[in-house]
Amino acid sequence: MENNIQNKVVVITGASSGLGEETAKYLAEKGARVVLGARRADKLEQIVAEITSKGGTAIYQVTDVTDKEQVQNLVDISVTTYGKIDVLINNAGIMPIAPMSELRIDEWDSMIDINIKGVLYGIAAALPIFQKQESGHFINLGSVAGIKVFSPGGTVYSGTKYAIRAITDGLRHEVGGNIRTTTIEPGAIDSELKFGTKHETSAKGVNKFYELAIPAASVARAIAFAIEQPADVDINEIVLRPTAQEF
């Protein structure tokens, strides 16, 4: 099935570290042409240089997923450069944890803007292209916190990930047939996500929880599995956790 990744054009948001970075590298090794979007140009440049030095194909576009025009530009540069887009991986996300009673409304807003609206902007940019091509694959990063509420502290974060699960399933129902949809729902994965908590007590709990984290490459392999299936097979949902994780 590896040939089903070869030469596919894969756009990845949040690609400057963690799951996005590892997925870009892994898919490039399998022959995909990857297009990386994130806010940190220096990190993107380094990752693209590493991929191309190993014979892979990669480009990047600085992208803030809270800006719908920047997300559209990321998709557009993919089509301009490669003539198509086969897969959009909506990976960008943040996870500031704190009790709701702390009323950290700015953090709530940021999670909604990045974790939900950023995904919707990606869908809005790629869906017309997928419909015109009569093919395409949305892969949206959810979380085990979108299956069971991560509380106390992660209630709003869980809300955003429940939303991703619902949006992806609804999208499948609306446009399925020749467009595939997958929700990836990881548990504790080693990435920068754990560093987003500013509430001191909650941060200690998050760091303790993430002591059992597994490598980001674990998610990259799951994503590759979904992509490499034949066109008539749609892997709708993958949940993966560290073996030791109870939640």
Side-chain angles (χ1 to χ4, degrees):
M1 291 188 293
E2 189 169 314
N3 288 336
N4 289 331
I5 294 179
Q6 184 80 30
N7 292 323
K8 281 193 171 179
V9 177
V10 181
V11 179
I12 307 171
T13 68
S16 61
S17 66
L19 310 189
E21 176 181 358
E22 289 300 318
T23 299
K25 292 176 180 178
Y26 188 71
L27 295 178
E29 287 176 5
K30 287 182 167 288
R33 294 173 284 181
V34 294
V35 182
L36 313 185
R39 291 176 294 182
R40 295 177 290 183
D42 56 336
K43 288 286 294 179
L44 291 170
E45 188 173 351
Q46 291 171 11
I47 296 164
V48 166
E50 181 178 344
I51 290 171
T52 55
S53 71
K54 295 179 180 179
T57 303
I59 59 173
Y60 76 87
Q61 174 83 5
V62 174
T63 305
D64 180 343
V65 299
T66 67
D67 185 328
K68 61 186 176 184
E69 291 184 358
Q70 291 189 36
V71 177
Q72 185 68 60
N73 290 340
L74 176 66
V75 168
D76 288 346
I77 195 174
S78 307
V79 176
T80 300
T81 304
Y82 299 118
K84 63 173 183 172
I85 168 177
D86 296 295
V87 184
L88 173 62
I89 303 175
N90 283 306
N91 167 69
I94 59 172
M95 189 186 72
I97 301 300
M100 292 196 73
S101 58
E102 291 290 320
L103 302 180
R104 300 172 83 92
I105 297 173
D106 288 346
E107 291 183 352
W108 301 351
D109 286 341
S110 293
M111 279 189 280
I112 290 167
D113 288 344
I114 296 171
N115 297 1
I116 301 178
K117 291 171 69 176
V119 171
L120 290 172
Y121 292 160
I123 292 169
L127 182 56
I129 297 166
F130 287 172
Q131 290 176 314
K132 184 177 180 180
Q133 294 174 168
E134 298 186 340
S135 67
H137 192 172
F138 289 106
I139 299 180
N140 298 329
L141 265 292
S143 169
V144 295
I147 300 171
K148 181 179 180 181
V149 177
F150 182 35
S151 64
T155 300
V156 177
Y157 175 72
S158 280
T160 68
K161 293 305 181 179
Y162 269 80
I164 294 310
R165 194 179 188 201
I167 289 165
T168 309
D169 193 46
L171 183 65
R172 175 195 61 79
H173 186 239
E174 290 192 27
V175 303
N178 48 30
I179 297 173
R180 303 194 292 178
T181 62
T182 303
T183 309
I184 305 289
E185 294 157 341
I189 306 295
D190 188 19
S191 73
E192 293 185 358
L193 197 66
K194 62 188 175 189
F195 300 131
T197 296
K198 306 304 180 186
H199 181 254
E200 186 175 349
T201 302
S202 298
K204 291 177 181 177
V206 170
N207 289 333
K208 180 66 177 176
F209 176 70
Y210 270 80
E211 288 178 359
L212 49 66
I214 53 179
S218 306
V219 177
R221 290 192 297 271
I223 289 172
F225 174 77
I227 294 172
E228 69 188 359
Q229 301 304 310
D232 61 349
V233 176
D234 191 2
I235 303 296
N236 299 133
E237 191 170 21
I238 298 177
V239 183
L240 66 154
R241 294 174 172 89
T243 304
Q245 180 176 336
E246 294 180 2
F247 170 76

